[in-house]
């Protein structure tokens, strides 16, 4: 077996283990939460003992905890995420109906973060002016819900350029609906990536070998591309990876603000209603996204920096 | 027995208050309405303090192809046995019908039953309307009524309306278009509930064919209302289409289609009203009344904001302390600050409209001459001093659900301080707050919490049933033998006058004992954009096909 195969196996093994441990933690922690899901299922009415027993049985609350976990895990492996307590449908269909708009939101924000974050960072490092620094400081300080309020009232309500609620139908309309939410979601992250890119670039620019190649008369563009940017990309990719995998969690506020009803806002309402199966599935989805993105970042390193490839 | 928990109105609990405040500052329009400003200057940002109830918003000039309506949350299901809350009920009201109809003036009239008789106190006989079509084209029969109503008694269905059927022994078909219900004991409220969800009729064939999927996004429902279920895109919208074979020509829908969109965030909802992306919606966030004027209308309601005393063995155990607390509460200030000035100080736990079915004389007696607790801090303090509770701690549970809740909680805490108690505000999450209504363990250590309580039928007994000894929603375990006797007498009397008198007696006792503190009546609020008209604003929107009356302006 080749060494790289072993590395891969180890990675996949770690991924599975992470998911398994997380699944147990998520499953058990929700049962420690205050309140009884049955109380939510009866919705404030006066159930008879018969009814309570019927509800408990119907949702399997009368089974021991470990057995419930085992049933749940088994179901997951078969692609059955269970039945939502709150909504009258399977968890897979509840999440499936909301996932596309959330993924589009995350994808658009990712593009904004990478293109503008890195772009502005480079600009900030190469230009002497303070403009970018000020922009970054302001951007990093704007929470996404504030950005959402301002964008919505200026570009939605006052100027009427963009819709203020919903997700639209048809790709063009969906994109139109998604512009303001993705900007609101991306702003803070964009500023952080800009800051990291600028710092990394400045550090590389000050390095001896850059001065050497510059003094040898290599064109500035080539110096920047081959000697500065390439070396600076490591930390930029790491930070971007972390931020982007966190996007899924951050969508809740933006989705609520723009009446989008995606996975983020679903998570919040599900927590609110102790809809355990939905919460568990979303949390696992988020963890999986983290693991996948970070693995992708790991795999990108050797492509950026040949020295990393040599080491593994 | 209907609780408005309101946690669902604002899922993004913590962010809501900020968003609300932010939008008032950001979205340019200044308060346009409201001339009469409040006397003491404790006026809210909204700035509007005068309002009138509108019974009818006008006659449509013509029909519409479609209009869009916002709901603050997605209905969990459209199964009528699970329909207890604003989101499912305001949709279902247009699709499914009950034996009786609850009208905008809060009276009841024949619905799917043309007539009903009460040959003896334990029997109700309903004659079913002939020639009524379900949305799938089949014809309504007694079998459908028996199957639909009986579901409320099936423990496996776990109907949220099971309690309304507690006195029902058997429901049987006694003719092709006749259904007889046998009660275990006389129950004068049972008939009233036949105008609400408990009286809903669905096709028996659909119920057995759809099984567990009944009422969900894939199957929807098959009823007899002026609109039929068309589609449900989970997380986004429910679309209804006009039903051309509807039996009642007076309520034939003016619009070919209605689209309900789910918008949880209050500010997003207000913005959607302003940009015209949404044509209307019930429950307008109070902070935006002025901003949305003159397109906000107020209507009859059965909602009272109450502070529930959930611990009658603590410092609030002495009725004098509860009376003092109510007297020290600045209820006018709460209405101005928390509800944009829209509301009336409540001297009862039910609204005057709850008496609409009682004979005039009894209605008058039930709504006047009640124990009054005018705002008087000095008198309140003296009363509390007599009870000797000075310095004792009172825990007020709250959750950052909306601005009203926060403002009311602060006012109650202030009133506690004013009468010499030491208030402690316990801020809990929305789900934990919801648990206060269902879980005795969650109420442990809590003395007071806020609710907006509405009745699902025009009857004070719907509310007062919560104060009977041992009742599920008797949160403070209040027990008064005289109250129980009066309440039972009212439930058991079919004679309207006797029943109203017994109800009055129960009400007098409750308002002297104050197991709950009535704060204010809250009217129904609705936004209607400039393209539509015809709506009759009223709390009956939970059971009456209001969307059918909306047409082009």
């Amino acid at each position: 077996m080749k060494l790289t195969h072993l590395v891969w196996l180890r990675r996949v093994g770690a991924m599975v283990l992470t998911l398994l441990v997380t699944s147990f933690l998520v499953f058990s922690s929700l049962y420690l939460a205050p309140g009884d899901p049955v109380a939510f299922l009866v919705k404030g009415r006066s159930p008879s003992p018969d009814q309570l027993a019927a509800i408990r049985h119907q949702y399997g609350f009368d089974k021991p905890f470990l057995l419930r976990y085992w049933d749940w895990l088994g179901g997951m492996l078969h692609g059955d995420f269970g039945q939502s307590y709150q909504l009258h449908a399977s968890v897979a269909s509840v999440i499936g109906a909301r996932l596309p708009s959330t993924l589009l939101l995350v994808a658009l924000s990712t593009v904004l973060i990478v293109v503008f974050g890195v772009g502005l960072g480079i600009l900030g490092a190469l230009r002497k002016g303070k403009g970018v620094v000020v922009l970054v400081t302001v951007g990093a300080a704007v929470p996404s819900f504030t950005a959402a309020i301002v964008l919505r009232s200026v570009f939605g309500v006052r100027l009427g350029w963009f819709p203020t609620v919903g997700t639209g139908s048809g790709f063009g309309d969906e994109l139109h609906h998604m512009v303001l939410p993705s900007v609101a979601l991306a702003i803070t992250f964009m500023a952080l990536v800009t800051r990291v890119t600028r710092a990394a670039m400045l550090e590389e620019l000050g390095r001896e070998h850059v001065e050497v190649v510059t003094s040898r008369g290599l064109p500035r563009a080539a110096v920047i591309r081959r000697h500065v940017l390439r070396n600076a990309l490591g930390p930029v990719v790491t930070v971007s990876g972390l931020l982007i995998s966190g996007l899924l969690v951050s969508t809740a506020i933006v989705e609520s603000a723009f009446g989008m009803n995606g996975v983020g806002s679903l998570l919040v309402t599900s927590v609110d209603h102790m809809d355990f199966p939905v919460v568990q599935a979303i949390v696992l989805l988020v963890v999986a996204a983290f693991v996948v993105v970070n693995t992708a970042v790991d795999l990108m390193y050797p492509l950026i920096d040949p020295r990393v490839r040599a080491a593994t | 027995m209907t609780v408005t928990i309101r946690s669902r109105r604002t899922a993004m609990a913590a962010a809501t208050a900020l968003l609300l405040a932010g939008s008032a500052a950001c979205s340019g329009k200044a308060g346009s309405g409201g001339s009469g400003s409040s006397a003491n200057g404790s006026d809210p940002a909204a700035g509007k303090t005068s309002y009138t109830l509108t019974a009818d918003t006008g006659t449509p000039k013509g029909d519409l192809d479609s209009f869009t309506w916002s709901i603050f949350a997605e209905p969990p299901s459209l199964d009528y046995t699970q329909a207890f809350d604003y989101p499912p009920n305001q949709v279902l009201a247009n699709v499914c019908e009950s034996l009786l109809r609850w009208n905008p003036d809060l009276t009841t009239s024949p619905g799917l039953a043309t007539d009903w008789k009460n040959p003896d106190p334990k029997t109700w006989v309903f004659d079913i309307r002939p020639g009524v079509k379900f949305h799938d084209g089949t014809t309504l029969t007694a079998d459908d009524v028996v199957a639909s109503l009986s579901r409320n008694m099936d423990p496996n269905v776990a109907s949220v309306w099971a309690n309304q059927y507690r006195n029902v022994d058997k429901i049987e078909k006694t003719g092709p278009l006749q259904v007889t219900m046998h009660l275990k004991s006389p129950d004068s409220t049972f008939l009233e509930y036949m105008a609400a969800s408990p009286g809903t009729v669905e096709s028996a064939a659909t119920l057995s064919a759809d099984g567990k999927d009944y009422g969900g996004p894939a199957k929807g429902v098959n009823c007899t209302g002026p609109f039929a279920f068309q589609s449900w895109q989970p997380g986004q919208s429910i679309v209804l289409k006009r039903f051309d074979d509807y039996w009642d020509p007076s309520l034939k829908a003016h619009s070919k289609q209605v689209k309900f969109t789910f918008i949880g965030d209050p500010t997003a909802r207000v913005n959607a009203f302003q940009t015209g992306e949404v044509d209307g919606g019930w429950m307008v966030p109070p902070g935006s009344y002025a901003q949305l004027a003159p397109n906000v209308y107020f209507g009859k309601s059965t909602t009272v904001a109450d502070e529930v005393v959930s611990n009658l063995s603590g410092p609030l155990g002495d009725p004098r302390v509860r009376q003092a607390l109510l007297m020290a509460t600045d209820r006018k200030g709460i209405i101005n600050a928390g509800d944009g000035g829209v509301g009336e100080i409540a001297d009862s736990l039910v609204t005057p409209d709850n008496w609409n079915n009682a004979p005039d004389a009894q209605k008058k007696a039930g709504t006047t001459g009640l124990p009054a607790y005018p705002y008087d801090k000095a008198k309140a303090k003296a009363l509390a001093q007599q009870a000797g509770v000075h310095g004792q701690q009172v825990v007020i549970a709250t959750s950052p659900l909306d601005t009203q809740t926060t403002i009311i909680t602060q006012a109650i805490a202030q009133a506690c301080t004013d009468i010499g108690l030491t208030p402690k505000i316990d801020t809990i999450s929305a789900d934990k707050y919801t648990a206060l209504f269902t879980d005795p363990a969650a109420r442990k250590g809590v003395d007071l919490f806020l609710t907006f309580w509405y009745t699902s039928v025009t009857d004070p007994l719907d509310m007062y049933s919560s104060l009977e000894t041992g009742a599920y929603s008797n949160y403070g375990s209040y027990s008064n033998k005289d109250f129980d006797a009066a309440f039972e007498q009212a439930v058991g009397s079919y004679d309207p006058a006797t029943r109203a008198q017994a109800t009055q007696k129960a009400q007098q006792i409750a308002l002297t004992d104050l197991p709950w503190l009535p704060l204010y009546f809250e009217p129904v609020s609705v936004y209607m954009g400039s393209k539509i008209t015809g709506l009759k604003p009223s709390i009956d929107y939970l059971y009456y096909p209001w969307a059918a009356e909306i047409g082009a302006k």
Side-chain angles (χ1 to χ4, degrees), chain A residues 178-258:
Chain A
M178 219 56 89
V179 172
L180 295 183
S182 57
V183 171
L185 181 59
I187 277 180
T188 315
F189 299 107
M190 224 151 65
L192 292 173
V193 170
T194 302
R195 183 182 282 173
V196 170
T197 309
R198 183 172 167 272
M201 288 279 290
L202 284 177
E203 196 184 322
E204 293 300 327
L205 277 171
R207 285 270 170 91
E208 213 172 299
H209 71 272
V210 175
E211 280 170 22
V212 172
V213 289
T214 309
S215 66
R216 280 189 184 164
L218 207 68
R220 182 150 168 85
V223 173
I224 299 294
R225 204 173 58 240
R226 294 215 317 250
H227 296 278
V228 179
L229 192 55
R230 192 154 197 175
N231 288 330
L233 270 182
V236 173
V237 169
T238 310
V239 165
S240 304
L242 277 173
L243 293 179
I244 289 164
S245 46
L247 278 181
L248 210 52
V249 186
S250 315
T251 52
I253 287 170
V254 169
E255 283 178 2
S256 293
F258 289 95

Side-chain angles (χ1 to χ4, degrees), chain B residues 377-462:
Chain B
K377 284 201 275 192
K379 217 172 142 191
K381 196 173 177 181
L383 195 61
Q385 242 158 18
Q386 284 173 29
V389 288
H390 194 83
Q392 292 189 34
Q393 185 179 274
V394 169
V395 177
I396 310 165
T398 187
S399 187
L401 304 172
D402 45 33
T403 40
Q404 283 148 291
T405 304
T406 308
I407 287 166
I408 294 170
T409 306
Q410 293 294 344
I412 296 293
Q414 182 61 47
C416 286
T417 308
D418 288 344
I419 61 169
L421 293 166
T422 309
K424 179 173 172 263
I425 294 178
D426 190 4
T427 304
I428 57 182
S429 69
D431 59 66
K432 222 177 144 194
Y433 193 77
T434 311
L436 293 173
F437 295 88
T438 54
D439 191 353
R443 292 194 290 273
K444 229 176 154 183
V446 172
D447 294 294
L448 290 163
F449 60 91
L450 175 70
T451 185
F452 290 82
W453 199 266
Y454 70 86
T455 63
S456 302
V457 293
T458 307
D459 194 331
L461 292 175
D462 185 77

